[in-house]
Amino acid sequence: MKKILVTGALGQIGSELTEKLRSTYGEDNVIASDIRRPEQPSGIFEEIDVTKEKEIYEISKKYKVDTIIHLAALLSAKAEAFPKVAWEINMGGLVNALEAAKELDLKFFTPSSIGAFGPSTPKNNTPQDTLQRPTTMYGVNKVAGEILCDYYYSRFGVDTRGVRFPGLISYVTAPGGGTTDYAVEVYYEALRSGTYTSYIAKGTHMDMMYMPDALQAIIQLMEADSDRLKHRNAFNITAMSAAPEHFEEAIRKHIPDFTMDYQVDPVRQGIAESWPDSINADAAKEEWDFEAAYDMDAMTVDMLEKVREKIKKNSA
Ligand code: AKB
């Protein structure tokens, strides 16, 4: 990768990825884009509505990029509330981005998710290649997106690559409309009020990952030797399988009085239950050497420190 366009650059992944790419590949070699302008602009930014057929193409051409990292998407809970809009953004945006990559001969990354699996998928140690019949609109978009990206690779030779992200935990930009968002909220509430009410039930396991590992995964996969890749769209990756009580336990090591109770949201609980409890990420390790650096305890130490600083700064 030398010159990169990021769509959805103001989102949870995009805001941090853009900074990391700029420090790795050079400030002027990363074009951030989103549907709205940032409040505090820094670096090159372009407004792009991914659902407009030619906008990704025009901006990619204007800056002569060699890679598109397409992140613009609606997450699972939001997509369940607005399925038709989700289809338009998640699938319409993806096909426009893939067309730009095809026309301009660009490398291409877009994330899939553990949401690409469904209730009939093996729940534990979910294999890389397995049954995928998701029961959510987000899952339908993700599995269709994986197949579409593979199609652009085999039919048109576009160098498409992707990972199935687990729930991502970060302190810079809040996730919006996901099922795994509780795993971010819990840290803020632990520090603000010492208590958190989880909308996901005790004992509900999902794969999770700290954002630095997720960013590393994107860069490592995009820089991986193409000849080693037997899979493309998309690789299972994970750092931990966790339920709400595991966050409670880890936070209590630092905030002993922290308490957690439960008020389950049936929609997000239903989505969570349709996803795997733990996925197998051997293919990512074998084909491009991916291994997460942060486990629950290391992530919790860092999250509490960073969120504490943020709360202090915002209240100053
Ligand atoms: C969501 O909860 O929708 C996302 C995801 C796992 O894809 N965080």
Side-chain angles (χ1 to χ4, degrees):
M1 294 193 287
K2 290 200 174 68
K3 197 148 198 166
I4 306 153
L5 171 66
V6 181
T7 71
L10 301 183
Q12 190 199 13
I13 305 174
S15 55
E16 290 189 56
L17 181 68
T18 301
E19 288 314 304
K20 187 167 167 95
L21 291 173
R22 284 186 173 146
S23 65
T24 311
Y25 296 95
E27 189 75 14
D28 294 340
N29 292 325
V30 181
I31 293 83
S33 74
D34 210 298
I35 191 148
R36 62 191 159 91
R37 295 217 149 257
E39 277 162 25
Q40 285 156 347
S42 73
I44 306 171
F45 182 89
E46 292 279 351
E47 242 173 272
I48 293 183
D49 177 347
V50 296
T51 65
K52 300 267 163 59
E53 200 183 330
K54 284 282 173 193
E55 290 195 5
I56 301 174
Y57 170 84
E58 295 298 349
I59 298 298
S60 301
K61 199 169 164 198
K62 174 175 168 188
Y63 289 96
K64 298 187 171 59
V65 300
D66 65 11
T67 303
I68 294 175
I69 297 188
H70 178 58
L71 303 176
L74 284 198
L75 293 184
S76 55
K78 196 106 174 241
E80 236 14 56
F82 305 103
K84 173 89 181 343
V85 179
W87 180 268
E88 281 157 13
I89 295 174
N90 294 353
M91 297 313 296
L94 178 59
V95 83
N96 290 338
L98 283 166
E99 275 298 302
K102 182 188 93 179
E103 291 304 316
L104 299 167
D105 194 18
L106 312 178
K107 285 181 84 163
F108 190 84
F109 174 91
T110 199
S112 184
S113 157
I114 51 171
F117 297 117
S120 52
T121 301
K123 255 206 157 348
N124 287 298
N125 201 25
T126 304
Q128 171 66 39
D129 302 306
T130 187
L131 191 55
Q132 290 179 265
R133 299 293 283 185
T135 47
T136 62
M137 177 49 100
Y138 182 67
V140 169
N141 296 164
K142 287 302 180 191
V143 84
E146 291 183 6
I147 297 167
L148 192 63
C149 288
D150 273 347
Y151 175 76
Y152 270 72
Y153 171 67
S154 57
R155 173 85 165 82
F156 305 117
V158 181
D159 186 350
T160 57
R161 304 177 186 199
V163 296
R164 294 183 184 128
F165 274 133
L168 297 182
I169 293 144
S170 64
Y171 59 87
V172 175
T173 305
T179 300
T180 58
D181 296 5
Y182 87 86
V184 176
E185 292 168 7
V186 65
Y187 288 102
Y188 282 85
E189 285 314 309
L191 288 162
R192 279 192 190 122
S193 63
T195 180
Y196 179 65
T197 302
S198 173
Y199 60 80
I200 292 294
K202 193 171 181 173
T204 311
H205 286 74
M206 286 181 276
D207 284 279
M208 300 281 174
M209 179 177 281
Y210 198 31
M211 188 59 87
D213 282 330
L215 305 182
Q216 179 58 29
I218 296 175
I219 294 177
Q220 209 170 311
L221 174 58
M222 291 310 282
E223 295 293 1
D225 179 356
S226 188
D227 292 344
R228 281 184 67 195
L229 301 181
K230 294 191 195 81
H231 297 86
R232 285 189 165 261
N233 306 286
F235 285 91
N236 283 2
I237 59 167
T238 186
M240 65 199 94
S241 158
E245 64 272 24
H246 298 126
F247 288 90
E248 180 184 14
E249 218 175 275
I251 291 171
R252 273 224 192 118
K253 290 181 189 164
H254 307 276
I255 308 175
D257 294 339
F258 174 61
T259 57
M260 192 147 155
D261 59 9
Y262 296 86
Q263 209 171 309
V264 173
D265 167 13
V267 174
R268 286 178 286 186
Q269 181 64 25
I271 296 174
E273 282 174 15
S274 77
W275 292 353
D277 285 358
S278 66
I279 60 174
N280 178 299
D282 288 352
K285 192 167 179 198
E286 278 155 27
E287 294 176 40
W288 48 284
D289 308 315
F290 179 70
E291 253 178 293
Y294 286 85
D295 62 10
M296 174 63 86
D297 284 335
M299 173 178 78
T300 297
V301 168
D302 205 53
M303 271 299 277
L304 288 174
E305 186 189 318
K306 299 291 175 19
V307 174
R308 190 176 282 121
E309 277 168 22
K310 202 172 161 183
I311 292 175
K312 210 163 137 193
K313 205 167 139 203
N314 290 346
S315 65

